[in-house]
Amino acid sequence: MNGIVVVGTGQAGFQLGASLRENGYAGPVTLVGDEAGLPYGRPPLSKAYMLGKTDASGLSLRPDAFFAEHRLTLRAGERAIAIDRAERRLRLASGEAVPYDHLVLATGSRNRPLPVPGADLPGVHQLRTLADADALKAALAGARSVAVVGAGFIGLEFAAVCAQTGVPVTVIEGLDRPLARSVSAGMAASIEASHVAAGVRFLFGSAVAGIVGPDRARAVALADGSEIEADLVLVGIGVVPNAELAAAAGLRVENGIAVDAMLATEDPAVSAIGDGASFPSPHAEGARVRIESVQNAVDGARCVATRLTGRPAAFTAVPWFWSDQGPLKLQIAGLCQPHDLAVRRGDPERGGVSMFCYRGGRLAGVESLNRPADHMIARRLLQAGRSPTPDQAADPGFDLKALALG
Ligand code: FAD
């Protein structure tokens, strides 16, 4: 028996191994990952770790002993370079071929590079790995002014850290609001207002033309000819799925490694999970989605582990996500994008706000800012397939919890 081999020791790969054992799988499990050390969680990298509130040991998903206790063979620092599907072997960069009965691709995603002159200068950073975080944290300690390219989650979380540590920060965004692809216009406005109050400066509708050197980053040059002074630049313009290994093995790639509703590829011996996989979601009316979140990685891994231990089921877990940005806790339940109606519950000036997003007359998702109770209720509503009317959602007197509990 060759057992189950997992490529990627991030959130999804780790969870797959842990869930296989929880489900009673007794065969060999090998986790192959190209990052050194124990599997760790990325969310604190742009929050608690960046603020010095936790150290590297606090990021580990489990201590060393867990892997031995659960007979999970961790091959950290090893890169998989090819899949021989006919022979069911995974080839590593070392030349070794690891045989498998089932292969799970949990290869995640990597940062999209900024395609402008000067993007490789010292002082220009990205944030994905612990090594990236260490370099960024060291640079922040000596920075006089920071520019963040991209008003996405990572960019806003880092901007909040800059504001909290008193370093002037400018966020440069090509679109007309923060998180334009991720949240409703109403939620974006609340988030922007809070960051501005904390001292973050935003430049919207601004294209970056280059990073001004010559020896290290000194400013960000914009397409309109102006320059934003910065000795530290964080580029946060999204990710691309790590799907090349799958593509080279002849597996279908469609905005990520394409899998079916059970997260299986067209090869019955290969599954894919996490940031790198795209799957048809019942929460998007069956459309193919690729979701970058801890919940998606963890629940996808559980779904595959359950199938591999004899109880096949479709991946139907309600997607949810969080982002901590200084005093803001944003939580999203469901898939809000696209939506054709968004109604407000609560008041951003008084304790928080939620946006209930509707698609085709049904609740598609809920964005909550500092309203964690709404978030929990939203997850229940979506799991149960119950949709309050927009009037009910907006009415503070309407008991959403009672509706959720049925
Ligand atoms: P990853 O965690 O990226 O793991 C994939 C692993 O596979 C990587 O180690 C990669 O190096 C390795 N790999 C790839 N190819 C190969 C190969 N050929 N051979 C060997 N190894 C390979 N999500 C939230 O829900 N909330 C948050 O607040 C949040 N904050 C975040 C903050 C930061 C700074 C970052 C970077 C992400 C954050 N996320 C957050 C997203 C979340 O961390 C990801 O969605 C999650 O890590 C995805 O897990 P994964 O296992 O699919 O991918």
Side-chain angles (χ1 to χ4, degrees):
M1 186 190 218
N2 294 321
I4 296 168
V5 174
V6 184
V7 186
T9 54
Q11 195 85 49
F14 161 75
Q15 187 64 48
L16 199 273
S19 294
L20 282 170
R21 292 300 184 227
E22 267 169 40
N23 292 359
Y25 180 74
V29 176
T30 306
L31 311 177
V32 177
D34 59 5
E35 286 188 75
L38 292 171
Y40 63 92
R42 301 187 195 282
L45 296 180
S46 48
K47 314 174 182 78
Y49 187 74
M50 197 53 60
L51 284 164
K53 290 184 178 169
T54 184
D55 61 8
S57 64
L59 304 177
S60 296
L61 294 174
R62 290 292 186 285
D64 212 3
F66 178 89
F67 295 87
E69 273 164 26
H70 292 81
R71 292 181 299 109
L72 300 173
T73 305
L74 181 62
R75 306 213 28 188
E78 301 236 37
R79 185 162 179 77
I81 56 165
I83 306 165
D84 180 346
R85 287 168 50 204
E87 295 291 325
R88 292 196 180 172
R89 281 171 190 278
L90 178 73
R91 194 142 53 82
L92 306 186
S94 63
E96 188 186 342
V98 182
Y100 62 83
D101 296 323
H102 196 93
L103 181 70
V104 180
L105 300 174
T107 47
S109 55
R110 61 182 182 276
N111 288 325
R112 189 182 293 283
L114 181 67
V116 300
D120 54 355
L121 282 171
V124 182
H125 291 253
Q126 295 238 358
L127 180 53
R128 179 81 199 168
T129 65
L130 179 55
D132 293 339
D134 285 334
L136 183 61
K137 200 171 159 188
L140 180 62
R144 275 179 290 116
S145 60
V146 173
V148 172
V149 181
F153 291 111
I154 303 285
L156 293 183
E157 289 179 5
F158 184 66
V161 168
C162 295
Q164 281 169 287
T165 48
V167 181
V169 56
T170 303
V171 179
I172 302 162
E173 167 59 50
L175 299 173
D176 63 356
R177 60 176 197 256
L179 301 171
R181 293 189 192 85
S182 312
V183 304
S184 64
M187 181 54 71
S190 295
I191 290 171
E192 180 186 340
S194 172
H195 281 286
V196 168
V200 176
R201 177 183 172 220
F202 284 97
L203 293 177
F204 293 111
S206 296
V208 172
I211 309 297
V212 181
D215 51 338
R216 54 163 297 112
R218 301 193 185 278
V220 177
L222 303 182
D224 66 6
S226 62
E227 288 187 0
I228 308 302
E229 208 178 293
D231 53 356
L232 166 55
V233 180
L234 175 69
V235 177
I237 54 170
V239 299
V240 285
N242 290 324
E244 291 77 4
L245 190 63
L251 294 168
R252 195 158 60 93
V253 170
E254 213 176 308
N255 181 29
I257 305 164
V259 288
D260 65 15
M262 294 207 202
L263 308 182
T265 69
E266 63 267 43
D267 181 337
V270 184
S271 302
I273 53 177
D275 273 20
S278 70
F279 60 95
S281 170
H283 304 284
E285 295 78 52
R288 185 165 285 283
V289 297
R290 193 176 61 73
I291 300 178
E292 299 153 16
S293 74
V294 167
Q295 172 277 328
N296 178 66
V298 169
D299 285 342
R302 288 184 176 140
C303 174
V304 171
T306 303
R307 167 161 54 83
L308 296 180
T309 48
R311 286 173 293 140
F315 184 37
T316 59
V318 172
W320 59 267
F321 175 81
W322 82 96
S323 170
D324 294 337
Q325 302 168 21
L328 303 179
K329 184 166 202 73
L330 172 66
Q331 294 167 293
I332 303 174
L335 296 177
C336 298
Q337 308 302 334
H339 57 265
D340 32 52
L341 175 69
V343 298
R344 185 184 298 265
R345 188 178 179 92
D347 179 352
E349 302 294 317
R350 276 188 271 145
V353 64
S354 291
M355 300 300 294
F356 283 65
C357 299
Y358 290 81
R359 186 163 56 240
R362 286 200 66 76
L363 185 67
V366 177
E367 307 159 347
S368 301
L369 197 63
N370 295 346
R371 278 179 71 104
D374 281 359
H375 174 71
M376 295 314 293
I377 291 170
R379 280 163 57 177
R380 279 180 174 263
L381 284 169
L382 293 163
Q383 191 69 58
R386 296 202 178 95
S387 183
T389 66
D391 284 346
Q392 289 169 338
D395 176 1
F398 182 78
D399 190 348
L400 284 172
K401 193 171 177 189
L403 178 66
L405 296 176

